[in-house]
Short mmCIF file of all heavy atoms in Angstrom, two decimals:
data_model
loop_
_atom_site.label_atom_id
_atom_site.label_comp_id
_atom_site.label_asym_id
_atom_site.label_seq_id
_atom_site.Cartn_x
_atom_site.Cartn_y
_atom_site.Cartn_z
N MET A 1 133.23 43.65 127.46
CA MET A 1 134.64 43.59 127.00
C MET A 1 135.38 42.53 127.79
O MET A 1 135.37 42.51 129.00
CB MET A 1 135.26 44.99 127.22
CG MET A 1 136.46 45.21 126.31
SD MET A 1 137.05 46.93 126.47
CE MET A 1 138.36 46.71 127.65
N MET A 2 136.01 41.62 127.10
CA MET A 2 136.74 40.53 127.76
C MET A 2 138.21 40.89 127.91
O MET A 2 138.83 41.38 126.94
CB MET A 2 136.64 39.25 126.93
CG MET A 2 135.22 38.74 126.81
SD MET A 2 134.65 37.93 128.29
CE MET A 2 135.63 36.41 128.19
N ALA A 3 138.79 40.58 129.01
CA ALA A 3 140.24 40.70 129.18
C ALA A 3 140.90 39.43 128.69
O ALA A 3 140.53 38.36 129.14
CB ALA A 3 140.60 40.96 130.65
N PRO A 4 141.80 39.53 127.72
CA PRO A 4 142.34 38.32 127.08
C PRO A 4 143.21 37.47 128.01
O PRO A 4 143.30 36.26 127.85
CB PRO A 4 143.20 38.85 125.94
CG PRO A 4 143.46 40.26 126.29
CD PRO A 4 142.35 40.75 127.13
N HIS A 5 143.82 38.05 129.00
CA HIS A 5 144.73 37.30 129.88
C HIS A 5 144.23 37.32 131.31
O HIS A 5 144.90 37.80 132.22
CB HIS A 5 146.14 37.82 129.77
CG HIS A 5 146.71 37.75 128.39
ND1 HIS A 5 146.95 36.53 127.79
CD2 HIS A 5 146.99 38.70 127.51
CE1 HIS A 5 147.39 36.77 126.53
NE2 HIS A 5 147.42 38.07 126.34
N GLY A 6 143.04 36.83 131.52
CA GLY A 6 142.54 36.76 132.89
C GLY A 6 141.96 38.04 133.40
O GLY A 6 141.66 38.94 132.62
N LYS A 7 141.79 38.09 134.71
CA LYS A 7 141.09 39.19 135.31
C LYS A 7 141.97 40.44 135.37
O LYS A 7 143.21 40.37 135.39
CB LYS A 7 140.67 38.81 136.72
CG LYS A 7 139.60 37.75 136.71
CD LYS A 7 139.23 37.37 138.11
CE LYS A 7 138.08 36.37 138.06
NZ LYS A 7 137.90 35.65 139.34
N LEU A 8 141.30 41.56 135.46
CA LEU A 8 142.00 42.82 135.68
C LEU A 8 142.70 42.77 137.05
O LEU A 8 142.24 42.16 137.98
CB LEU A 8 140.99 43.98 135.69
CG LEU A 8 140.46 44.44 134.35
CD1 LEU A 8 139.27 45.37 134.56
CD2 LEU A 8 141.54 45.16 133.59
N ARG A 9 143.83 43.42 137.09
CA ARG A 9 144.54 43.59 138.35
C ARG A 9 144.72 45.07 138.62
O ARG A 9 144.92 45.83 137.69
CB ARG A 9 145.92 42.93 138.27
CG ARG A 9 145.90 41.44 138.11
CD ARG A 9 145.62 40.75 139.41
NE ARG A 9 145.93 39.34 139.34
CZ ARG A 9 145.13 38.42 138.80
NH1 ARG A 9 144.00 38.78 138.24
NH2 ARG A 9 145.48 37.14 138.82
N TYR A 10 144.62 45.44 139.87
CA TYR A 10 144.77 46.80 140.26
C TYR A 10 145.94 46.97 141.23
O TYR A 10 146.19 46.06 142.06
CB TYR A 10 143.48 47.33 140.91
CG TYR A 10 142.31 47.27 140.00
CD1 TYR A 10 141.38 46.25 140.12
CD2 TYR A 10 142.14 48.24 139.00
CE1 TYR A 10 140.30 46.19 139.26
CE2 TYR A 10 141.05 48.16 138.15
CZ TYR A 10 140.14 47.15 138.27
OH TYR A 10 139.05 47.09 137.42
N ARG A 11 146.60 48.09 141.16
CA ARG A 11 147.74 48.35 142.02
C ARG A 11 147.77 49.83 142.38
O ARG A 11 147.54 50.68 141.51
CB ARG A 11 149.02 47.99 141.24
CG ARG A 11 150.29 48.17 142.03
CD ARG A 11 151.51 48.17 141.11
NE ARG A 11 151.79 46.87 140.48
CZ ARG A 11 152.48 45.89 141.05
NH1 ARG A 11 152.94 46.00 142.26
NH2 ARG A 11 152.71 44.76 140.39
N ALA A 12 148.04 50.13 143.63
CA ALA A 12 148.16 51.50 144.08
C ALA A 12 149.56 51.99 143.76
O ALA A 12 150.52 51.26 143.89
CB ALA A 12 147.88 51.60 145.55
N LYS A 13 149.67 53.27 143.39
CA LYS A 13 150.97 53.89 143.19
C LYS A 13 150.98 55.25 143.85
O LYS A 13 149.90 55.84 144.07
CB LYS A 13 151.27 54.07 141.68
CG LYS A 13 151.63 52.74 141.00
CD LYS A 13 152.29 53.05 139.68
CE LYS A 13 152.97 51.80 139.12
NZ LYS A 13 153.88 52.11 138.06
N CYS A 14 152.17 55.78 144.05
CA CYS A 14 152.35 57.06 144.69
C CYS A 14 152.88 58.06 143.70
O CYS A 14 153.79 57.78 142.94
CB CYS A 14 153.28 56.92 145.90
SG CYS A 14 153.42 58.46 146.82
N ALA A 15 152.34 59.29 143.75
CA ALA A 15 152.80 60.37 142.88
C ALA A 15 154.05 61.05 143.49
O ALA A 15 154.77 61.75 142.76
CB ALA A 15 151.70 61.40 142.68
N ASP A 16 154.27 60.86 144.76
CA ASP A 16 155.33 61.64 145.47
C ASP A 16 156.54 60.83 145.85
O ASP A 16 157.52 61.39 146.34
CB ASP A 16 154.69 62.23 146.74
CG ASP A 16 153.63 63.27 146.40
OD1 ASP A 16 153.81 63.98 145.41
OD2 ASP A 16 152.61 63.35 147.12
N CYS A 17 156.50 59.49 145.69
CA CYS A 17 157.66 58.66 146.01
C CYS A 17 157.54 57.42 145.16
O CYS A 17 156.53 57.19 144.51
CB CYS A 17 157.71 58.36 147.51
SG CYS A 17 156.62 57.05 148.08
N PRO A 18 158.56 56.52 145.15
CA PRO A 18 158.52 55.36 144.27
C PRO A 18 157.66 54.21 144.76
O PRO A 18 157.66 53.13 144.15
CB PRO A 18 160.02 54.92 144.21
CG PRO A 18 160.81 56.01 144.83
CD PRO A 18 159.87 56.71 145.75
N TRP A 19 156.91 54.40 145.80
CA TRP A 19 156.13 53.31 146.39
C TRP A 19 155.10 52.77 145.40
O TRP A 19 154.45 53.51 144.67
CB TRP A 19 155.39 53.83 147.65
CG TRP A 19 154.47 52.81 148.26
CD1 TRP A 19 154.83 51.80 149.12
CD2 TRP A 19 153.05 52.69 148.08
NE1 TRP A 19 153.71 51.08 149.47
CE2 TRP A 19 152.61 51.61 148.86
CE3 TRP A 19 152.13 53.44 147.33
CZ2 TRP A 19 151.27 51.20 148.91
CZ3 TRP A 19 150.77 53.05 147.38
CH2 TRP A 19 150.37 51.95 148.19
N GLU A 20 154.91 51.44 145.47
CA GLU A 20 153.86 50.74 144.72
C GLU A 20 153.23 49.75 145.70
O GLU A 20 153.95 49.05 146.41
CB GLU A 20 154.39 49.92 143.58
CG GLU A 20 154.91 50.66 142.43
CD GLU A 20 155.20 49.72 141.25
OE1 GLU A 20 155.29 48.47 141.46
OE2 GLU A 20 155.34 50.23 140.14
N GLY A 21 151.92 49.64 145.68
CA GLY A 21 151.28 48.60 146.45
C GLY A 21 151.35 47.26 145.73
O GLY A 21 151.79 47.18 144.58
N ARG A 22 150.90 46.19 146.37
CA ARG A 22 150.82 44.90 145.68
C ARG A 22 149.61 44.90 144.77
O ARG A 22 148.73 45.74 144.93
CB ARG A 22 150.80 43.74 146.68
CG ARG A 22 149.73 43.88 147.74
CD ARG A 22 149.51 42.58 148.45
NE ARG A 22 148.77 41.66 147.56
CZ ARG A 22 147.95 40.71 147.98
NH1 ARG A 22 147.82 40.49 149.28
NH2 ARG A 22 147.32 39.93 147.12
N GLN A 23 149.57 43.95 143.88
CA GLN A 23 148.42 43.85 142.97
C GLN A 23 147.24 43.20 143.66
O GLN A 23 147.40 42.23 144.42
CB GLN A 23 148.79 43.01 141.76
CG GLN A 23 149.60 43.80 140.72
CD GLN A 23 149.62 43.13 139.39
OE1 GLN A 23 149.62 41.93 139.28
NE2 GLN A 23 149.62 43.94 138.34
N PHE A 24 146.08 43.72 143.36
CA PHE A 24 144.83 43.13 143.86
C PHE A 24 143.87 42.88 142.71
O PHE A 24 143.86 43.63 141.73
CB PHE A 24 144.14 44.12 144.86
CG PHE A 24 144.91 44.32 146.15
CD1 PHE A 24 145.65 45.46 146.32
CD2 PHE A 24 144.87 43.36 147.12
CE1 PHE A 24 146.36 45.67 147.50
CE2 PHE A 24 145.57 43.55 148.32
CZ PHE A 24 146.30 44.71 148.49
N ILE A 25 143.04 41.87 142.87
CA ILE A 25 141.99 41.59 141.89
C ILE A 25 140.85 42.63 142.06
O ILE A 25 140.26 43.08 141.07
CB ILE A 25 141.46 40.17 142.04
CG1 ILE A 25 142.57 39.18 141.61
CG2 ILE A 25 140.21 39.96 141.19
CD1 ILE A 25 142.24 37.74 141.94
N ARG A 26 140.61 43.01 143.29
CA ARG A 26 139.51 43.94 143.53
C ARG A 26 140.05 45.35 143.62
O ARG A 26 140.97 45.69 144.35
CB ARG A 26 138.80 43.60 144.86
CG ARG A 26 138.08 42.28 144.78
CD ARG A 26 137.48 41.91 146.09
NE ARG A 26 136.58 42.95 146.59
CZ ARG A 26 136.13 42.98 147.84
NH1 ARG A 26 136.46 42.08 148.71
NH2 ARG A 26 135.33 43.96 148.21
N TYR A 27 139.38 46.24 142.89
CA TYR A 27 139.76 47.65 142.89
C TYR A 27 139.74 48.23 144.30
O TYR A 27 140.63 49.00 144.69
CB TYR A 27 138.78 48.47 141.99
CG TYR A 27 139.03 49.94 142.02
CD1 TYR A 27 140.05 50.49 141.24
CD2 TYR A 27 138.30 50.77 142.85
CE1 TYR A 27 140.30 51.86 141.29
CE2 TYR A 27 138.54 52.12 142.91
CZ TYR A 27 139.53 52.66 142.14
OH TYR A 27 139.77 53.98 142.20
N GLY A 28 138.72 47.87 145.06
CA GLY A 28 138.57 48.41 146.39
C GLY A 28 139.77 48.14 147.30
O GLY A 28 140.09 48.92 148.19
N MET A 29 140.41 46.98 147.10
CA MET A 29 141.61 46.60 147.91
C MET A 29 142.78 47.50 147.56
O MET A 29 143.53 47.97 148.41
CB MET A 29 141.97 45.15 147.65
CG MET A 29 140.87 44.14 148.02
SD MET A 29 140.60 44.00 149.81
CE MET A 29 142.06 43.01 150.23
N ALA A 30 142.99 47.76 146.27
CA ALA A 30 144.05 48.63 145.82
C ALA A 30 143.78 50.04 146.29
O ALA A 30 144.71 50.77 146.72
CB ALA A 30 144.21 48.59 144.31
N ASP A 31 142.51 50.45 146.23
CA ASP A 31 142.12 51.80 146.67
C ASP A 31 142.41 51.93 148.17
O ASP A 31 142.89 52.97 148.61
CB ASP A 31 140.62 51.94 146.37
CG ASP A 31 140.12 53.36 146.68
OD1 ASP A 31 140.57 54.30 146.00
OD2 ASP A 31 139.28 53.52 147.57
N GLY A 32 142.11 50.88 148.94
CA GLY A 32 142.40 50.91 150.38
C GLY A 32 143.88 51.06 150.64
O GLY A 32 144.30 51.80 151.53
N ALA A 33 144.72 50.31 149.91
CA ALA A 33 146.17 50.41 150.07
C ALA A 33 146.66 51.80 149.71
O ALA A 33 147.51 52.36 150.38
CB ALA A 33 146.86 49.38 149.20
N ALA A 34 146.06 52.41 148.70
CA ALA A 34 146.40 53.78 148.31
C ALA A 34 146.06 54.76 149.41
O ALA A 34 146.84 55.67 149.70
CB ALA A 34 145.67 54.13 146.99
N HIS A 35 144.89 54.56 150.02
CA HIS A 35 144.54 55.43 151.15
C HIS A 35 145.50 55.27 152.30
O HIS A 35 145.86 56.26 152.96
CB HIS A 35 143.10 55.08 151.62
CG HIS A 35 142.05 55.87 150.90
ND1 HIS A 35 141.78 57.19 151.18
CD2 HIS A 35 141.17 55.48 149.95
CE1 HIS A 35 140.80 57.59 150.40
NE2 HIS A 35 140.39 56.60 149.67
N ASP A 36 145.88 54.01 152.62
CA ASP A 36 146.80 53.78 153.75
C ASP A 36 148.09 54.52 153.51
O ASP A 36 148.63 55.14 154.43
CB ASP A 36 147.08 52.26 153.87
CG ASP A 36 145.86 51.50 154.41
OD1 ASP A 36 144.93 52.13 154.96
OD2 ASP A 36 145.86 50.26 154.25
N HIS A 37 148.62 54.45 152.29
CA HIS A 37 149.90 55.09 152.01
C HIS A 37 149.74 56.60 152.04
O HIS A 37 150.57 57.32 152.60
CB HIS A 37 150.45 54.64 150.65
CG HIS A 37 151.80 55.21 150.36
ND1 HIS A 37 152.97 54.65 150.81
CD2 HIS A 37 152.17 56.36 149.68
CE1 HIS A 37 154.00 55.41 150.41
NE2 HIS A 37 153.53 56.44 149.74
N ALA A 38 148.66 57.10 151.46
CA ALA A 38 148.41 58.57 151.42
C ALA A 38 148.36 59.14 152.84
O ALA A 38 148.95 60.16 153.14
CB ALA A 38 147.13 58.84 150.66
N ASP A 39 147.64 58.40 153.74
CA ASP A 39 147.45 58.89 155.09
C ASP A 39 148.76 58.77 155.89
O ASP A 39 149.09 59.64 156.69
CB ASP A 39 146.35 58.10 155.79
CG ASP A 39 144.97 58.44 155.27
OD1 ASP A 39 144.85 59.43 154.52
OD2 ASP A 39 144.01 57.72 155.59
N ALA A 40 149.48 57.65 155.69
CA ALA A 40 150.69 57.40 156.47
C ALA A 40 151.82 58.33 156.13
O ALA A 40 152.61 58.73 156.98
CB ALA A 40 151.12 55.95 156.32
N HIS A 41 151.90 58.74 154.85
CA HIS A 41 153.04 59.50 154.38
C HIS A 41 152.70 60.91 153.88
O HIS A 41 153.57 61.64 153.48
CB HIS A 41 153.77 58.74 153.25
CG HIS A 41 154.27 57.39 153.69
ND1 HIS A 41 155.46 57.22 154.33
CD2 HIS A 41 153.67 56.17 153.63
CE1 HIS A 41 155.59 55.92 154.62
NE2 HIS A 41 154.53 55.26 154.20
N THR A 42 151.39 61.23 153.93
CA THR A 42 150.95 62.52 153.42
C THR A 42 151.37 62.70 151.96
O THR A 42 151.95 63.72 151.56
CB THR A 42 151.38 63.70 154.27
OG1 THR A 42 151.31 63.32 155.66
CG2 THR A 42 150.45 64.91 154.09
N HIS A 43 151.15 61.65 151.17
CA HIS A 43 151.47 61.66 149.75
C HIS A 43 150.16 61.55 148.95
O HIS A 43 149.18 61.05 149.49
CB HIS A 43 152.35 60.45 149.39
CG HIS A 43 153.75 60.59 149.88
ND1 HIS A 43 154.64 59.54 149.85
CD2 HIS A 43 154.43 61.64 150.42
CE1 HIS A 43 155.79 59.95 150.34
NE2 HIS A 43 155.69 61.20 150.70
N ILE A 44 150.24 61.96 147.68
CA ILE A 44 149.10 61.76 146.78
C ILE A 44 149.30 60.45 146.07
O ILE A 44 150.35 60.14 145.51
CB ILE A 44 149.00 62.94 145.78
CG1 ILE A 44 148.60 64.22 146.55
CG2 ILE A 44 147.98 62.63 144.68
CD1 ILE A 44 148.67 65.49 145.72
N THR A 45 148.27 59.59 146.09
CA THR A 45 148.33 58.28 145.44
C THR A 45 147.24 58.11 144.42
O THR A 45 146.33 58.92 144.37
CB THR A 45 148.23 57.15 146.53
OG1 THR A 45 147.01 57.29 147.21
CG2 THR A 45 149.38 57.22 147.54
N PHE A 46 147.38 57.05 143.63
CA PHE A 46 146.37 56.74 142.65
C PHE A 46 146.44 55.26 142.35
O PHE A 46 147.28 54.55 142.86
CB PHE A 46 146.57 57.59 141.35
CG PHE A 46 147.93 57.45 140.73
CD1 PHE A 46 148.15 56.54 139.70
CD2 PHE A 46 148.98 58.23 141.18
CE1 PHE A 46 149.42 56.43 139.12
CE2 PHE A 46 150.25 58.10 140.60
CZ PHE A 46 150.46 57.22 139.58
N VAL A 47 145.48 54.77 141.54
CA VAL A 47 145.40 53.35 141.26
C VAL A 47 145.60 53.15 139.76
O VAL A 47 145.06 53.89 138.93
CB VAL A 47 144.03 52.78 141.72
CG1 VAL A 47 143.94 51.30 141.35
CG2 VAL A 47 143.87 52.97 143.21
N VAL A 48 146.40 52.15 139.38
CA VAL A 48 146.59 51.76 137.97
C VAL A 48 146.07 50.35 137.73
O VAL A 48 145.95 49.57 138.68
CB VAL A 48 148.09 51.85 137.56
CG1 VAL A 48 148.62 53.30 137.69
CG2 VAL A 48 148.94 50.87 138.34
N ASP A 49 145.81 50.03 136.48
CA ASP A 49 145.44 48.65 136.13
C ASP A 49 146.68 47.86 135.77
O ASP A 49 147.80 48.32 135.94
CB ASP A 49 144.38 48.67 135.01
CG ASP A 49 144.88 49.16 133.67
OD1 ASP A 49 146.13 49.30 133.50
OD2 ASP A 49 144.05 49.42 132.82
N GLN A 50 146.48 46.65 135.26
CA GLN A 50 147.66 45.78 135.00
C GLN A 50 148.50 46.29 133.83
O GLN A 50 149.61 45.77 133.62
CB GLN A 50 147.23 44.34 134.80
CG GLN A 50 146.61 44.01 133.48
CD GLN A 50 145.08 44.14 133.55
OE1 GLN A 50 144.55 45.05 134.15
NE2 GLN A 50 144.41 43.23 132.89
N TYR A 51 148.00 47.19 133.04
CA TYR A 51 148.78 47.78 131.98
C TYR A 51 149.46 49.08 132.43
O TYR A 51 150.01 49.83 131.60
CB TYR A 51 147.89 48.06 130.75
CG TYR A 51 147.17 46.85 130.27
CD1 TYR A 51 145.79 46.75 130.41
CD2 TYR A 51 147.86 45.79 129.73
CE1 TYR A 51 145.12 45.61 129.99
CE2 TYR A 51 147.21 44.62 129.31
CZ TYR A 51 145.83 44.56 129.44
OH TYR A 51 145.16 43.44 129.03
N ASP A 52 149.40 49.35 133.73
CA ASP A 52 150.02 50.54 134.30
C ASP A 52 149.29 51.83 133.86
O ASP A 52 149.85 52.90 133.85
CB ASP A 52 151.49 50.67 133.87
CG ASP A 52 152.40 50.86 135.10
OD1 ASP A 52 152.06 50.38 136.21
OD2 ASP A 52 153.42 51.52 134.93
N LEU A 53 148.04 51.68 133.46
CA LEU A 53 147.22 52.84 133.10
C LEU A 53 146.46 53.32 134.33
O LEU A 53 145.83 52.55 135.01
CB LEU A 53 146.24 52.46 132.00
CG LEU A 53 146.91 52.07 130.66
CD1 LEU A 53 145.85 51.52 129.70
CD2 LEU A 53 147.64 53.21 130.04
N ARG A 54 146.54 54.62 134.49
CA ARG A 54 145.90 55.23 135.68
C ARG A 54 144.38 55.13 135.55
O ARG A 54 143.83 55.45 134.49
CB ARG A 54 146.35 56.67 135.74
CG ARG A 54 146.01 57.43 136.99
CD ARG A 54 146.80 58.72 136.92
NE ARG A 54 146.56 59.55 138.09
CZ ARG A 54 147.46 60.40 138.56
NH1 ARG A 54 148.63 60.54 137.97
NH2 ARG A 54 147.19 61.15 139.59
N ILE A 55 143.70 54.72 136.58
CA ILE A 55 142.25 54.61 136.61
C ILE A 55 141.71 56.04 136.78
O ILE A 55 142.07 56.73 137.73
CB ILE A 55 141.77 53.73 137.75
CG1 ILE A 55 142.43 52.31 137.70
CG2 ILE A 55 140.25 53.62 137.76
CD1 ILE A 55 142.07 51.50 136.49
N ALA A 56 140.81 56.43 135.89
CA ALA A 56 140.21 57.78 135.97
C ALA A 56 139.51 57.95 137.30
O ALA A 56 138.76 57.09 137.74
CB ALA A 56 139.23 57.98 134.82
N GLY A 57 139.77 59.06 137.93
CA GLY A 57 139.10 59.37 139.19
C GLY A 57 139.66 58.67 140.43
O GLY A 57 139.05 58.72 141.49
N SER A 58 140.82 58.01 140.26
CA SER A 58 141.34 57.20 141.39
C SER A 58 142.31 58.00 142.27
O SER A 58 142.82 57.46 143.24
CB SER A 58 142.08 55.96 140.84
OG SER A 58 143.26 56.31 140.19
N THR A 59 142.58 59.25 141.93
CA THR A 59 143.51 60.02 142.74
C THR A 59 143.04 60.18 144.17
O THR A 59 141.88 60.52 144.40
CB THR A 59 143.78 61.39 142.10
OG1 THR A 59 144.21 61.22 140.76
CG2 THR A 59 144.79 62.22 142.87
N ILE A 60 143.92 59.93 145.12
CA ILE A 60 143.63 60.01 146.53
C ILE A 60 144.55 60.98 147.21
O ILE A 60 145.77 60.86 147.10
CB ILE A 60 143.72 58.62 147.16
CG1 ILE A 60 142.66 57.70 146.64
CG2 ILE A 60 143.65 58.72 148.71
CD1 ILE A 60 143.09 56.26 146.58
N ARG A 61 144.00 61.93 147.89
CA ARG A 61 144.78 62.91 148.64
C ARG A 61 144.79 62.52 150.09
O ARG A 61 143.84 61.89 150.55
CB ARG A 61 144.23 64.31 148.46
CG ARG A 61 144.47 64.84 147.02
CD ARG A 61 143.74 66.12 146.71
NE ARG A 61 143.99 66.45 145.30
CZ ARG A 61 143.35 65.93 144.30
NH1 ARG A 61 142.38 65.05 144.51
NH2 ARG A 61 143.62 66.25 143.07
N PRO A 62 145.85 62.87 150.84
CA PRO A 62 145.93 62.48 152.25
C PRO A 62 144.69 62.96 153.02
O PRO A 62 144.22 64.07 152.81
CB PRO A 62 147.19 63.22 152.73
CG PRO A 62 148.01 63.42 151.51
CD PRO A 62 147.03 63.63 150.39
N LYS A 63 144.25 62.10 153.92
CA LYS A 63 143.14 62.39 154.83
C LYS A 63 141.80 62.58 154.10
O LYS A 63 140.84 63.10 154.70
CB LYS A 63 143.43 63.64 155.69
CG LYS A 63 144.77 63.61 156.37
CD LYS A 63 144.95 62.42 157.30
CE LYS A 63 146.35 62.45 157.95
NZ LYS A 63 146.64 61.17 158.61
N GLU A 64 141.75 62.21 152.86
CA GLU A 64 140.48 62.26 152.13
C GLU A 64 139.56 61.15 152.66
O GLU A 64 140.02 60.06 152.88
CB GLU A 64 140.78 62.02 150.66
CG GLU A 64 139.66 62.38 149.69
CD GLU A 64 140.17 62.28 148.25
OE1 GLU A 64 140.30 61.16 147.75
OE2 GLU A 64 140.39 63.32 147.64
N PRO A 65 138.30 61.43 152.84
CA PRO A 65 137.39 60.38 153.31
C PRO A 65 137.32 59.22 152.32
O PRO A 65 137.32 59.43 151.15
CB PRO A 65 136.03 61.07 153.41
CG PRO A 65 136.25 62.49 153.18
CD PRO A 65 137.60 62.70 152.62
N ARG A 66 137.29 57.99 152.86
CA ARG A 66 137.21 56.83 152.00
C ARG A 66 135.82 56.66 151.44
O ARG A 66 134.85 56.94 152.11
CB ARG A 66 137.57 55.60 152.80
CG ARG A 66 139.03 55.62 153.21
CD ARG A 66 139.39 54.48 154.15
NE ARG A 66 140.71 54.75 154.67
CZ ARG A 66 141.76 53.89 154.59
NH1 ARG A 66 141.58 52.73 154.01
NH2 ARG A 66 142.92 54.19 155.07
N ARG A 67 135.78 56.17 150.22
CA ARG A 67 134.48 55.85 149.61
C ARG A 67 133.92 54.61 150.31
O ARG A 67 134.67 53.70 150.64
CB ARG A 67 134.64 55.57 148.11
CG ARG A 67 134.84 56.82 147.29
CD ARG A 67 134.92 56.51 145.83
NE ARG A 67 136.22 55.95 145.45
CZ ARG A 67 137.27 56.69 145.07
NH1 ARG A 67 137.15 57.99 144.94
NH2 ARG A 67 138.40 56.13 144.76
N ALA A 68 132.65 54.58 150.46
CA ALA A 68 132.04 53.44 151.15
C ALA A 68 132.04 52.19 150.24
O ALA A 68 132.06 52.33 149.02
CB ALA A 68 130.60 53.78 151.54
ZN1 ZN B 1 154.56 57.94 148.72
#
């Protein structure tokens, strides 16, 4: 499947406050930002794509171990 307007972009968002991370090309970078916010603020975070659609399985709870 081709993305018509360049590469996918990923962004971390918070379920508990208005915080949004910056956009990253790599999912792992957005996932890392989501973990940082979840741990720092004890909030539940998740990752969306450039269409603001939540990535399935991306929900991160505070102090959850990071995926390798
Ligand atoms: Zn938050």
Side-chain angles (χ1 to χ4, degrees):
M1 203 173 95
M2 297 283 288
H5 299 294
K7 291 178 177 165
L8 283 167
R9 295 282 195 280
Y10 299 102
R11 181 196 292 277
K13 285 197 167 195
C14 185
D16 295 323
C17 79
W19 177 82
E20 289 188 345
R22 52 164 287 208
Q23 281 197 325
F24 293 103
I25 292 171
R26 291 177 57 193
Y27 174 82
M29 299 289 285
D31 186 65
H35 270 285
D36 288 343
H37 184 86
D39 289 349
H41 300 275
T42 322
H43 288 169
I44 292 172
T45 59
F46 56 95
V47 178
V48 298
D49 67 13
Q50 75 268 40
Y51 305 112
D52 232 30
L53 296 173
R54 192 168 180 151
I55 305 296
S58 70
T59 302
I60 293 149
R61 288 171 184 80
K63 311 300 180 192
E64 194 172 75
R66 293 174 191 236
R67 284 183 284 268

